[in-house]
Amino acid sequence: MFDEIDIHILEILQEKARIPNAEVARQVGMAPSAVLERIRKLEERGIIEGYEVRLNPACFHQGLSAFVQVESDGAATAQALAEVPSVQEVHQVVGPDGFLVKLRTADHTTLARILGEIRALEGVRSIRTQVVLETVKETRRVDLTEHNGNGRH
Amino acid sequence: MFDEIDIHILEILQEKARIPNAEVARQVGMAPSAVLERIRKLEERGIIEGYEVRLNPACFHQGLSAFVQVESDGAATAQALAEVPSVQEVHQVVGPDGFLVKLRTADHTTLARILGEIRALEGVRSIRTQVVLETVKETRRVDLTEHNGNGRH
DNA sequence: TGCAAAAATGAATAAAATTCGTCCAGAAAG
DNA sequence: CTTTCTGGACGAATTTTATTCATTTTTGCA
């Protein structure tokens, strides 16, 4: 599905996505047009899903994170959870009808309100909340180092 | 710290970060040079932390997610957890010396191995694992809609 | 080996990034 | 009430990129 040059390109983009294509070409030692072609194909194949800006949450009154274990009747709840503002992630986990929800709010007051909303959702039996004191690591990077050379998919 | 034009710019970049600056300028109805200036200042102030490519984890043998509750002696463990490959997030949570770890692996076999590694870390008393069956929502976007107009910080 | 498909190249052109002198509006100072 | 100062925004000029495409090179495979 991709070779070591693609991996190299992806590493560069993973480091700094808003970089000119010509600069990527320089770093991988290829013509800009060839690199452009490769990137386009990576996008077409869905290997690259998109490009995003990483914002500092604290600058937008979103400094408080929490995880909520939601025990619920069924999968219908997932959609409702996903639509709650401040909810960033909803994962269905193996076990007793559980969802794990990650959310971001401004402060404890807002958190309390959001938790109230979640508890009131149709089908929610109980919730257990874990407030984040400090985030030690938070990345979404994919480890590409082990993909050098092979790359079948 | 930023005004409604900055918000507009950030919304555009949040949607699609690898977009030409000239196009952003068009959308906000300003000169490209002015938009460039604003984006640079947002970067300098740390409001924009960076730009990243979003890759499809399934294409890189990272299709299985799990959350691990780690009960540990102290904060020293956090760093060790953060350094484990596959660990994407480490959060210190309020409660009995707990860390919440999010990780990504290829399959159950690899997961089992990683869990073994974590259990063996210095200071780790016990772990509880929740395997993700399905991820319903997963975003890192900041909700900018309520920041229109004010923007003090 | 040799063919066909895929990928890379390099040149040409259109578009974008970047720089910078100028201008304007609001704030602060006189 | 004017003057001065300051921060943005503008837009022209220049450098750099993006993009296209015809041509060449490489690759996979019969």
Side-chain angles (χ1 to χ4, degrees):
Chain A
M1 196 101 166
F2 40 81
D3 61 15
E4 56 289 335
I5 297 175
D6 289 322
I7 296 293
H8 193 179
I9 292 172
L10 292 175
E11 280 173 344
I12 293 167
L13 290 180
Q14 204 159 228
E15 187 62 40
K16 194 168 181 298
R18 214 173 143 75
I19 191 181
N21 178 59
E23 177 59 24
V24 179
R26 238 166 265 132
Q27 291 186 28
V28 301
M30 280 179 36
S33 51
V35 172
L36 191 67
E37 177 80 9
R38 276 174 178 270
I39 291 179
R40 278 192 179 147
K41 283 186 181 162
L42 289 167
E43 289 168 355
E44 279 167 15
R45 292 173 194 158
I47 295 169
I48 291 178
E49 293 183 344
Y51 305 90
E52 24 186 73
V53 62
R54 187 157 24 86
L55 302 180
N56 186 340
C59 293
F60 300 92
H61 312 299
Q62 305 253 121
L64 182 65
S65 301
F67 288 88
V68 187
Q69 316 272 344
V70 178
E71 213 184 310
S72 149
D73 275 341
T77 314
Q79 204 51 49
L81 286 168
E83 283 166 10
V84 173
S86 344
V87 166
Q88 294 219 316
E89 302 182 18
V90 179
H91 306 274
Q92 188 184 358
V93 292
V94 178
D97 309 318
F99 294 101
L100 185 51
V101 174
K102 181 180 180 181
L103 49 83
R104 275 189 181 285
T105 64
D107 49 41
H108 286 73
T109 310
T110 317
L111 176 58
R113 184 172 55 71
I114 305 283
L115 291 178
E117 285 180 27
I118 290 176
R119 233 186 306 263
L121 287 178
E122 189 70 37
V124 171
R125 280 203 296 276
S126 70
I127 72 174
R128 190 167 66 85
T129 306
Q130 288 178 290
V131 174
V132 172
L133 269 180
E134 191 199 353
T135 292
V136 179
K137 179 180 187 178
E138 187 170 35
T139 182
R140 192 176 283 181
R141 279 209 201 165
V142 173
D143 181 24
L144 297 171
T145 54
E146 305 192 16
H147 288 270
N148 290 307
N150 64 2
R152 286 303 125 236
H153 226 277
Chain B
M1 196 102 163
F2 41 79
D3 61 16
E4 54 291 336
I5 298 174
D6 290 322
I7 295 293
H8 193 178
I9 292 172
L10 292 176
E11 280 173 344
I12 293 167
L13 290 180
Q14 205 158 227
E15 186 63 40
K16 194 168 180 299
R18 212 172 144 79
I19 191 182
N21 179 60
E23 177 59 25
V24 179
R26 239 166 263 133
Q27 290 187 29
V28 302
M30 279 179 39
S33 53
V35 172
L36 191 67
E37 176 81 9
R38 276 174 178 269
I39 290 179
R40 280 192 178 148
K41 283 187 180 162
L42 289 168
E43 289 167 356
E44 280 168 15
R45 291 173 194 159
I47 295 169
I48 291 178
E49 293 182 343
Y51 305 90
E52 30 186 66
V53 62
R54 185 157 26 85
L55 301 180
N56 186 340
C59 294
F60 300 91
H61 313 298
Q62 306 254 124
L64 181 65
S65 300
F67 289 88
V68 186
Q69 316 271 343
V70 178
E71 212 183 312
S72 149
D73 275 342
T77 314
Q79 203 51 49
L81 286 168
E83 283 165 11
V84 173
S86 343
V87 166
Q88 295 220 315
E89 302 182 18
V90 178
H91 306 274
Q92 188 184 358
V93 292
V94 177
D97 310 317
F99 294 102
L100 186 51
V101 173
K102 181 181 179 181
L103 49 83
R104 274 187 182 285
T105 65
D107 49 42
H108 285 72
T109 309
T110 317
L111 176 59
R113 184 172 55 72
I114 305 284
L115 291 178
E117 285 180 27
I118 291 177
R119 233 186 306 261
L121 286 178
E122 190 70 36
V124 171
R125 279 203 296 275
S126 70
I127 72 174
R128 190 167 67 85
T129 307
Q130 289 178 291
V131 175
V132 173
L133 269 180
E134 192 198 352
T135 293
V136 180
K137 180 180 186 178
E138 186 169 36
T139 183
R140 192 176 281 181
R141 280 209 200 164
V142 173
D143 182 23
L144 298 172
T145 54
E146 305 191 16
H147 287 268
N148 290 307
N150 63 2
R152 284 307 121 234
H153 229 276

